[in-house]
Amino acid sequence: MVIKMEKSKLGVVLPVLAGAAFLLALFGHVEGALILLIYAIVAEKDDWLIKQSVKALFFGLFIKLANLLAVMLFDLVRAPFRLWLELSAYNSSPIRIINVISSVQSAAAYILQVVFVLIAVYAFVWLMRGKNAFIPGLESIADKTVGLIKEKKEKKAKKAAPAAAPTPPAPPPKPPAAPVQPAPSVSPPPPPAAEPIVQASPQLKPEQWLCACGAANEGNFCAKCGAHRPQ
């Protein structure tokens, strides 16, 4: 069994509001129970509190209806005896019968009030424990009312929600890309072979001699490499 002990927006726990609705209904303040029901639907939006408030409202309406039917029933029973009393002004028999009917009516009204008080106390005790106040005959009415409220909320939510944009079709799969062939590596051409530098032999004077290093000399030693003049 679910136990409700959450705090409301007014700072009191939800069972206190539900118990207050039953007390208002018991003392004939059906309008107060209706105001609490509207508050539960608009502000709290708690299914448990809405259900208990609905039962309290219908409980108050049932008390009013039962008292009204009892008065109408006893008035209907009393009507022929009142007519008899009017027709026979000096007859005391219809007066005694009317008094008896009135006494029975008072006793019936008292019994009804005791029954209603017991039901309200029973519901209040269970509500203060945070539990559902089970009242035969009102459970189905409360469940249907809560179901209708939920259904209306869902319809309003669907109307308020923007229409979802259609999902675009998925693009066709791309064909697999052809493998990239690596370009053949081209080796650079070998550098041209360096041509040997042919040094032209210098023209010698009669007194000069040519050293092996290629330098022309006049003395006994080469001025370039220091070699001795060949004999």
Side-chain angles (χ1 to χ4, degrees), residues 109-130:
Y110 177 78
I111 293 172
L112 279 177
Q113 291 302 320
V114 170
V115 172
F116 294 147
V117 169
L118 290 176
I119 294 175
V121 171
Y122 161 81
F124 188 81
V125 170
W126 279 93
L127 290 174
M128 290 302 101
R129 296 178 182 177

Side-chain angles (χ1 to χ4, degrees), residues 22 51 54-56 58-59 62 135-143:
F22 269 91
K51 183 176 180 180
V54 168
K55 286 189 286 188
F58 279 96
F59 177 63
F62 179 77
I135 300 178
L138 297 182
E139 291 295 320
S140 59
I141 297 175
D143 290 335

Side-chain angles (χ1 to χ4, degrees), residues 29-50:
H29 301 291
V30 181
E31 299 83 1
L34 178 61
I35 291 173
L36 280 178
L37 173 60
I38 296 173
Y39 170 78
I41 296 173
V42 176
E44 296 297 337
K45 300 177 181 179
D46 184 85
D47 293 342
W48 182 86
L49 180 60
I50 294 173

